Amino acid sequence: MELQCKVQNYEWGKKGLLSKVAQLRKSADTSFEVEDHLPYAELWMGTHVNAPSIIKATKENLSDLLCRHPEYLGNEVLRQFNQLPFLFKVLSVSKALSIQAHPSKKHAEQLHAQFPEIYKDPNHKPEMAIALTEFEALCGFRPWSEIKTFISNISELQDIFKNIQNTDDGQLIQEAFWEVLNCSKAKILDVINSLLTRFKESSKSERDFLCADLVEKLHSQYPFDNGILMVYFLNYIKLRPSEAIFLGANEPHAYLFGDCIECMACSDNVVRAGLTPKFIDVNTLCGMLNYEGAPSQEKLYSPLKEDDFSVIYKPPVPDFSIVQIEVPASEESFTVRERSSASILLIISGKSLIKTIYGEQTVSPGSVLFLPADQTIIFDNFKDPLLIYQALANV
C-alpha cells in the first residue's frame, strides 16, 4: 500500500531542491511543487496526529485503516502498543536545531499531566538518526576531562563559573552546564564578543581547540544565544552515510547540518534549552539529563547484519528498529523478509517493479510503502542499485 506523506516546513530546513526531503517528495509525486525559497525540513511517515500519512489509492488515513484492520499491526505489536508505535522521518537540516533532550516515559506522563499546554504528548521519544549525507550533531556530554580542560583554559568561561565552589567532577559539570544556560544575556554578550575577538587573533591550532568554526557558525544562526557555549560540553560528531546515533531518554543533543533518516517512538515530546526561538525550559532540562561523559566514538550505534544486503539497527527500546537494505544492480530480484510487525519502507534510490499480494506496481526514489505484518515484497526488474530503509517495531 503506497502512502502519501506530509512535509514539515520548519525554518531550520534546507531550502528548495537542496533538501533531500524535497527531492524525495518531488520524485514520488511530480505534481508536488518545490519552491526555492521554502525550507523542506521533515518528511513524516506514520500515524502521528500532527502529520498523518494517507493511503495513496484510497485517500484514507493510515490510522483509520489500522483501526479497521488491527491485525495488520501484528500480534505482539497489537498486544504491547495497540497502535503503530513508531514515527519514521527524513530530515534535511540547514540550521541547528535546539539544544534538547527527551524525557523518559514516566517523566513524559508527569510533564503532560502538570503542563499539558506545553508538553502535549505523554509518550517518551527515544530516537535514532542514520546519516544519508555527512551529518553533523552535538550528542551527549564530552568526557569530563575534556570539559574541565575547556573550563580551565578558556578565561571567558571562567568568568561565568566564578561562583562554583564544588570540586566533585560530576557536580562541577552539572553546575557549570546550569550556569551557562541561566547566564544573563548581558554576560553572554560579553563572553561571545570576547571569544569572537580572540578567534581572529588565534593560530589554527588554537582555533581548533576553541571550536572556533563551530562557535562562529552557531553565532551566525542564533546570535548571542546561551546554547552556543554547549559546544564545550557536548560531543561534536560528524556521521558518514549509514552511520547512526541513538538518543535515549535524557540524552542532550542538537542536530546541526545534513540529511538523515530518523525513527522514534510515536511522540513529539521535546524539552529545549537553547538555539531555538521556541519555548525553553532550562530547569526541567538540567534536572533530567544524564551527565555521564563519554568519547564521541562511543556514541556511534552499529547495526547487526541480517543477510548479504540487509543490516538492522536495533535500539534498546521496543518501539522501533530500522533495516537498511542495499541491493546491487547485478541482482535479479530481492525479497523483503516477513516481519512480525507492520512496517513502513522508504525507497531512497533505485527504480523497481514490486510484487505483493495486492499486485504489481513501479516504485522510485521517494516512494513510501506500508507493509502489514507477516507479508513480504519482491523487488524486481531494477537496473540501478536499490537503497531502502524499513521501519518496524522492535518486538
Side-chain angles (χ1 to χ4, degrees), residues 204-367:
K204 184 181 184 306
S205 60
E206 187 178 13
R207 281 182 60 87
D208 289 345
F209 168 72
L210 294 169
C211 309
D213 289 347
L214 184 54
V215 170
E216 289 170 341
K217 179 179 179 179
L218 294 177
H219 175 66
S220 72
Q221 298 173 355
Y222 300 96
F224 302 108
D225 191 288
N226 296 46
I228 295 168
L229 298 181
M230 292 298 99
V231 303
Y232 301 119
F233 290 84
L234 306 181
N235 287 299
Y236 175 51
I237 295 177
K238 283 187 176 181
L239 300 178
R240 297 187 299 263
S242 296
E243 289 185 330
I245 50 176
F246 171 69
L247 302 161
N250 307 324
E251 185 87 354
H253 62 280
Y255 296 156
L256 302 180
F257 185 80
D259 304 277
C260 75
I261 292 290
E262 189 182 42
C263 197
M264 64 203 68
C266 190
S267 171
D268 201 21
N269 210 337
V270 183
V271 182
R272 301 178 179 89
L275 302 182
T276 180
K278 295 182 179 180
F279 176 79
I280 63 172
D281 191 347
V282 171
N283 289 335
T284 296
L285 184 87
C286 290
M288 64 189 262
L289 291 182
N290 167 20
Y291 286 92
E292 292 298 320
S296 58
Q297 60 268 24
E298 291 188 14
K299 296 300 177 183
L300 297 180
Y301 201 90
S302 299
L304 304 171
K305 183 176 180 179
E306 285 199 314
D307 56 46
D308 289 343
F309 309 121
S310 306
V311 296
I312 186 168
Y313 301 81
K314 290 177 68 72
V317 294
D319 306 74
F320 68 90
S321 55
I322 310 170
V323 182
Q324 177 184 278
I325 302 168
E326 292 185 279
V327 187
S330 57
E331 290 297 304
E332 292 184 2
S333 66
F334 176 78
T335 301
V336 174
R337 66 176 61 191
E338 290 184 10
R339 305 282 181 178
S340 61
S341 162
S343 63
I344 294 176
L345 293 91
L346 169 66
I347 289 80
I348 298 294
S349 60
K351 187 175 182 180
S352 175
L353 180 71
I354 63 167
K355 302 175 181 178
T356 71
I357 63 169
Y358 304 103
E360 298 183 0
Q361 68 184 90
T362 299
V363 294
S364 55
S367 295

Side-chain angles (χ1 to χ4, degrees), residues 72-306:
Y72 286 176
L73 291 168
N75 292 335
E76 191 58 28
V77 177
L78 192 58
R79 186 186 70 80
Q80 286 196 42
F81 298 101
N82 199 37
Q83 63 176 348
L84 197 69
F86 57 84
L87 176 58
F88 197 25
K89 295 183 182 181
V90 179
L91 270 60
S92 290
V93 181
S94 179
K95 180 180 177 181
L97 280 69
S98 55
I99 302 293
Q100 62 181 258
H102 307 298
S104 67
K105 176 69 172 172
K106 183 177 180 181
H107 192 197
E109 291 169 350
Q110 292 171 346
L111 288 172
H112 177 66
Q114 291 176 301
F115 312 105
E117 293 304 310
I118 299 172
Y119 299 106
K120 299 179 181 180
D121 197 323
N123 198 16
H124 67 164
K125 193 188 176 188
E127 64 187 29
M128 176 173 284
I130 305 172
L132 289 172
T133 60
E134 186 174 272
F135 192 77
E136 301 174 39
L138 298 175
C139 178
F141 282 95
R142 294 174 181 267
W144 289 351
S145 59
E146 283 187 22
I147 300 174
K148 290 180 68 179
T149 298
F150 285 131
I151 292 173
S152 300
N153 290 280
I154 301 177
S155 58
E156 290 84 355
L157 295 182
Q158 293 168 9
D159 195 27
I160 297 175
F161 305 142
K162 58 187 177 185
N163 294 324
I164 296 178
Q165 305 296 325
N166 210 302
T167 56
D168 174 76
D169 283 357
Q171 195 66 30
L172 170 67
I173 302 307
Q174 190 167 344
E175 289 187 26
F177 188 85
W178 189 92
E179 289 285 351
V180 167
L181 291 176
N182 282 281
C183 189
S184 71
K185 289 302 178 185
K187 173 63 71 177
I188 286 293
L189 189 146
D190 289 343
V191 167
I192 298 295
N193 273 331
S194 179
L195 282 171
L196 295 174
T197 300
R198 184 173 173 181
F199 295 160
K200 294 176 183 177
E201 302 165 354
S202 297
S203 64
K204 184 181 184 306
S205 60
E206 187 178 13
R207 281 182 60 87
D208 289 345
F209 168 72
L210 294 169
C211 309
D213 289 347
L214 184 54
V215 170
E216 289 170 341
K217 179 179 179 179
L218 294 177
H219 175 66
S220 72
Q221 298 173 355
Y222 300 96
F224 302 108
D225 191 288
N226 296 46
I228 295 168
L229 298 181
M230 292 298 99
V231 303
Y232 301 119
F233 290 84
L234 306 181
N235 287 299
Y236 175 51
I237 295 177
K238 283 187 176 181
L239 300 178
R240 297 187 299 263
S242 296
E243 289 185 330
I245 50 176
F246 171 69
L247 302 161
N250 307 324
E251 185 87 354
H253 62 280
Y255 296 156
L256 302 180
F257 185 80
D259 304 277
C260 75
I261 292 290
E262 189 182 42
C263 197
M264 64 203 68
C266 190
S267 171
D268 201 21
N269 210 337
V270 183
V271 182
R272 301 178 179 89
L275 302 182
T276 180
K278 295 182 179 180
F279 176 79
I280 63 172
D281 191 347
V282 171
N283 289 335
T284 296
L285 184 87
C286 290
M288 64 189 262
L289 291 182
N290 167 20
Y291 286 92
E292 292 298 320
S296 58
Q297 60 268 24
E298 291 188 14
K299 296 300 177 183
L300 297 180
Y301 201 90
S302 299
L304 304 171
K305 183 176 180 179
E306 285 199 314

